[in-house]
Amino acid sequence: MTERPDHLPEYLARLADENAARFIGDGLLSGKDSVPAIALNQAAEPLPESPRLRLRALRDLIDDAMYIYRDDRPTQADAWLAPRLHAILRLTRAEAADPSLWNYLALGVAPDFVVWRHRSESKKMVNARYFKGPYHKQAFARLWWSAELFRNGSDYEPVVVACGNQDMLNTVLRLDVIDHRPTAQALVGLLRREVVRTGREANALGKAVNTAAATLMYDVIAPDVERDAGALRRWIDEAEAGISVQHRPLPVGPAEEGAPQDSVERLTDHFAELFADAPVRGKEESQVEAEED
């Protein structure tokens, strides 16, 4: 099986798409080969040395996730890892939008995790986009951005709820409306209420909410507060100062004010109505079976 790199530099680096593609072959995707660490690091672009970009803490976190969920389905690691990855790897959104960072993390730091988490049992392969792909698909970018978009100010608990449903990651994460914080928190609210339970239901809800956004401006009917850029800067500066993040307790995010509760409740009720009329694949068959029972 693919092994962890035998050479781990001290700091995170960038690996451009064209260079990343050189290391993604069938041997790696099938989990049979490991990544040649020295060659990869020769192709990577070093970043300025910074305590917040040290790799040891990231690698230790990833090892912890694989150990904790070694006897469970790997998908269960997402809800645990996403908030902790975000809290350890403290990036601005502009920095996190750079795919070369995620390419390096997947290939140069933890290719063994990507294979462990995303290898299809039926195809016996990993989709290459988990190594090098869009933010909503790439193995680590999807977790970091889930934490960024579903956290409620400093509270990561909504991230845990959202990442517990794979279709919130696979479908809802890529929707533009998720950048509106009351919308994100309202979607989480429907999971908490168990109005939405399955992946198919989350998928149907996301599509209904996104479609309705074309005619209904959520930021008008459910306004958010102005974001505090200073809180994020201070949070990043803590990492620059070398603050460590413990793995077991849920970490604390930037000290921003959360989404207004009245806006969240307004959209939660509205989305519940949308969902009641949303087509859910398999819903009619389940209803028929229940009536026959």
Side-chain angles (χ1 to χ4, degrees):
M1 290 293 289
T2 300
E3 297 179 353
R4 58 180 291 171
D6 54 14
H7 172 69
L8 188 68
E10 187 172 359
Y11 298 100
L12 187 63
R14 301 177 72 250
L15 186 65
D17 282 348
E18 59 269 24
N19 289 327
R22 293 164 42 196
F23 299 95
I24 304 174
D26 288 344
L28 176 63
L29 297 179
S30 64
K32 296 177 181 178
D33 293 346
S34 297
V35 177
I38 294 177
L40 182 138
N41 280 286
Q42 289 175 340
E45 175 190 344
L47 291 170
E49 296 181 0
S50 166
R52 72 187 173 103
L53 300 180
R54 282 199 174 104
L55 291 177
R56 177 52 56 194
L58 279 171
R59 183 65 229 198
D60 287 347
L61 177 71
I62 292 164
D63 286 339
D64 210 6
M66 290 194 289
Y67 178 78
I68 292 170
Y69 294 96
R70 64 193 182 281
D71 297 325
D72 299 310
R73 294 181 62 185
T75 53
Q76 293 184 300
D78 289 352
W80 186 89
L81 185 55
R84 292 165 176 85
L85 175 69
H86 187 271
I88 286 180
L89 189 55
R90 300 189 179 187
L91 304 173
T92 65
R93 287 192 175 189
E95 290 171 329
D98 181 359
S100 65
L101 294 180
W102 305 114
N103 292 343
Y104 184 82
L105 187 53
L107 288 163
V109 180
D112 52 325
F113 171 85
V114 180
V115 172
W116 173 80
R117 168 60 185 85
H118 293 289
R119 185 172 181 265
S120 168
E121 287 302 318
S122 58
K123 298 179 180 179
K124 306 300 181 185
M125 294 284 284
V126 177
N127 187 321
R129 292 198 296 170
Y130 288 116
F131 283 102
K132 180 183 73 69
Y135 76 94
H136 53 80
K137 190 73 173 179
Q138 203 274 350
F140 293 106
R142 69 196 285 271
L143 297 177
W144 193 95
W145 279 104
S146 293
E148 172 66 12
L149 295 170
F150 284 110
R151 68 180 173 86
N152 193 17
S154 63
D155 184 8
Y156 281 121
E157 193 271 338
V159 180
V160 177
V161 176
C163 292
N165 185 303
Q166 285 298 303
D167 270 274
M168 292 293 281
L169 290 170
N170 297 335
T171 301
V172 176
L173 184 61
R174 71 183 68 185
L175 304 178
D176 290 339
V177 293
I178 205 64
D179 195 34
H180 180 236
R181 295 196 307 164
T183 293
Q185 295 308 309
L187 293 172
V188 171
L190 292 182
L191 290 175
R192 284 200 187 101
R193 293 183 185 181
E194 296 189 345
V195 172
V196 173
R197 300 179 182 177
T198 68
R200 289 181 178 181
E201 290 175 346
N203 187 21
L205 172 64
K207 291 179 179 178
V209 168
N210 199 54
T211 299
T215 56
L216 187 63
M217 299 180 67
Y218 296 145
D219 57 344
V220 173
I221 66 170
D224 195 359
V225 296
E226 186 175 349
R227 304 290 292 273
D228 180 3
L232 177 63
R233 187 69 259 169
R234 291 188 294 273
W235 187 69
I236 290 176
D237 288 343
E238 289 178 356
E240 293 283 7
I243 187 174
S244 60
V245 176
Q246 295 183 349
H247 295 180
R248 298 311 168 101
L250 194 65
V252 177
E256 297 176 323
E257 184 179 352
Q261 189 59 33
D262 57 342
S263 292
V264 174
E265 291 176 356
R266 187 175 301 120
L267 285 184
T268 302
D269 292 339
H270 178 64
F271 292 166
E273 294 176 1
L274 290 177
F275 177 68
D277 296 326
V280 178
R281 188 162 57 94
K283 182 178 180 180
E284 293 182 358
E285 291 87 342
S286 297
Q287 290 176 339
V288 168
E289 290 174 1
E291 290 174 358
E292 289 177 349
D293 290 342

